[in-house]
Amino acid sequence: MIDRLEKILEKYNEIDQELNKVETLNNIELLTKLSKEQSSLKEVVEKYLEYKKILSDIEQDKEMLKDQDLKEIAKQELDELLPQKESLEQTLQILLLPKDPNDSKNVIMELRGAAGGDEANIFAGDLFRMYERYAEKQNWSIEVISEEEKPAGGFSQIELIIKGNGAYSKLKYESGAHRVQRIPETESSGRIHTSTATVVVLPEIEDVEIDIKDSDIKIDVYRSGGAGGQSVNTADSAVRMTHIPTGIVVTCQNERSQLQNKEKAYQILKSKIYEEEKRKQEESLTTDRKNKIGTGDRSEKIRTYNYPQNRVTDHRIGFTINKLDRVMNGELDEIIEALINEDQKRKLEDNNDN
């Protein structure tokens, strides 16, 4: 671990020297690239320097133990320093874990009403508002790409892009089936119903990362429709894009022009193809699949929202909080932090096994 940390510190200092050169300051592209690279190393370097300082202090205190006049002071300091050393070692191990290259990316999210009829669609709408509020708290922006509102409320399907630094790193665990237990407004007997909505989270993929042949894409245009099927656009601006080899279909209807809808649909199509390819690769890596927090499959039940008991349970890690009202208001940090911590724990265990 120390060898790796020394190399990172050396790289950080090299970048620092480069950033102070006149030719770098005059090259905006290079300046941006180096600044970004240095920023990605900053947290590790700061923790490592803190760790080195503690190691130095520990060695000094061990020397002080030989002096009868300073022995007690040295013991007290060591009692404080040794737990700090252990804690920093664990932090550094986590920081050195391989990073998900998609963590810094924007998110493409799709929500659908699943089992439960109108109540499932209403719940999909509730989940959309939950993520919308969470994004607001993170200072992220949301752009709805396509939606199918239902007369009873909510959505049978809604697709959106969530833009913000680190959006994927926090929302990637949300893919799967979300189950709600509550009394629907339409239920006259007061009986609790169970319904589900599905969530799919994909990283937004850049042009350089995946290449799609034009001949593999079929494009249909049609008139946009709103809730209940009424027309909201008098021109054929909505776009349906089909990737023929995989059968993946994407629609986009919320932009003003057909060209804008095509651009957005293509953007989402790339992400879906990328995710499908990644899923196929992971299926052959049994260890990676076993240690993941969930499979990311739409059918996997990941969480239950129990309204009568104000309870939310994430089944993948056995985590429960009785703060459903706050969670639905976008206060997802406690759940997401628990998922991140468990993910890091599993990766550390896998690293140690190897």
Side-chain angles (χ1 to χ4, degrees), residues 29-89:
E29 188 177 338
L30 179 61
L31 183 66
T32 303
K33 179 187 173 184
L34 290 173
S35 297
K36 190 174 181 181
E37 189 176 357
Q38 189 185 52
S39 178
S40 70
L41 302 174
K42 187 177 180 182
E43 187 179 4
V44 181
V45 168
E46 286 178 347
K47 290 294 180 187
Y48 180 45
L49 292 176
E50 187 181 342
Y51 180 67
K52 287 181 78 170
K53 174 69 167 58
I54 285 176
L55 288 181
S56 175
D57 290 346
I58 287 172
E59 287 306 310
Q60 288 179 25
D61 285 332
K62 284 180 178 178
E63 285 298 314
M64 286 166 62
L65 286 173
K66 300 172 185 177
D67 188 323
Q68 289 300 319
D69 295 332
L70 300 173
K71 191 174 182 180
E72 285 305 314
I73 295 172
K75 278 184 178 179
Q76 288 176 13
E77 288 186 358
L78 282 170
D79 286 343
E80 293 177 8
L81 290 171
L82 291 173
Q84 290 177 34
K85 172 181 172 285
E86 191 176 325
S87 176
L88 272 172
E89 283 173 347

Side-chain angles (χ1 to χ4, degrees), residues 73-263:
I73 295 172
K75 278 184 178 179
Q76 288 176 13
E77 288 186 358
L78 282 170
D79 286 343
E80 293 177 8
L81 290 171
L82 291 173
Q84 290 177 34
K85 172 181 172 285
E86 191 176 325
S87 176
L88 272 172
E89 283 173 347
Q90 189 172 7
T91 300
L92 285 166
Q93 283 181 340
I94 290 170
L95 289 172
L96 288 174
L97 285 172
K99 296 285 189 296
D100 185 335
N102 295 317
D103 273 353
S104 63
K105 293 182 178 172
N106 298 330
V107 159
I108 293 171
M109 180 180 281
E110 175 193 288
L111 301 98
R112 290 179 182 268
D118 287 342
E119 175 64 7
N121 296 330
I122 291 168
F123 181 50
D126 293 339
L127 289 176
F128 165 69
R129 284 180 287 277
M130 177 185 78
Y131 291 124
E132 186 178 41
R133 288 163 185 157
Y134 177 67
E136 286 172 4
K137 294 177 192 295
Q138 303 297 313
N139 293 316
W140 298 338
S141 64
I142 280 188
E143 182 182 354
V144 175
I145 301 303
S146 174
E147 60 192 300
E148 293 176 20
E149 289 186 70
K150 306 308 287 183
F155 306 93
S156 61
Q157 179 268 341
I158 182 167
E159 205 154 18
L160 52 138
I161 297 178
I162 301 175
K163 296 182 178 181
N165 188 37
Y168 186 73
S169 70
K170 294 188 174 180
L171 292 174
K172 63 183 176 182
Y173 306 104
E174 296 301 299
S175 285
H178 296 240
R179 183 174 70 170
V180 63
Q181 294 174 327
R182 64 184 176 190
I183 303 168
E185 291 181 13
T186 54
E187 175 59 59
S188 57
S189 66
R191 186 169 59 90
I192 294 173
H193 285 227
T194 298
S195 305
T196 58
T198 61
V199 177
V200 174
V201 176
L202 309 172
E204 186 180 35
I205 301 304
E206 304 299 327
D207 287 332
V208 294
E209 294 175 276
I210 188 165
D211 182 42
I212 305 172
K213 295 177 183 176
D214 290 342
S215 58
D216 286 343
I217 297 176
K218 177 175 179 279
I219 298 174
D220 299 302
V221 295
Y222 59 98
R223 192 159 298 176
S224 300
Q230 76 267 28
S231 174
V232 295
N233 198 322
T234 56
D236 291 337
S237 61
V239 170
R240 182 184 299 106
M241 197 171 281
T242 305
H243 185 243
I244 297 166
T246 61
I248 293 171
V249 179
V250 169
T251 61
C252 186
Q253 62 182 28
N254 282 38
E255 297 296 333
R256 290 181 177 273
S257 73
Q258 187 184 118
L259 179 61
Q260 288 173 316
N261 280 323
K262 277 184 180 177
E263 288 174 352

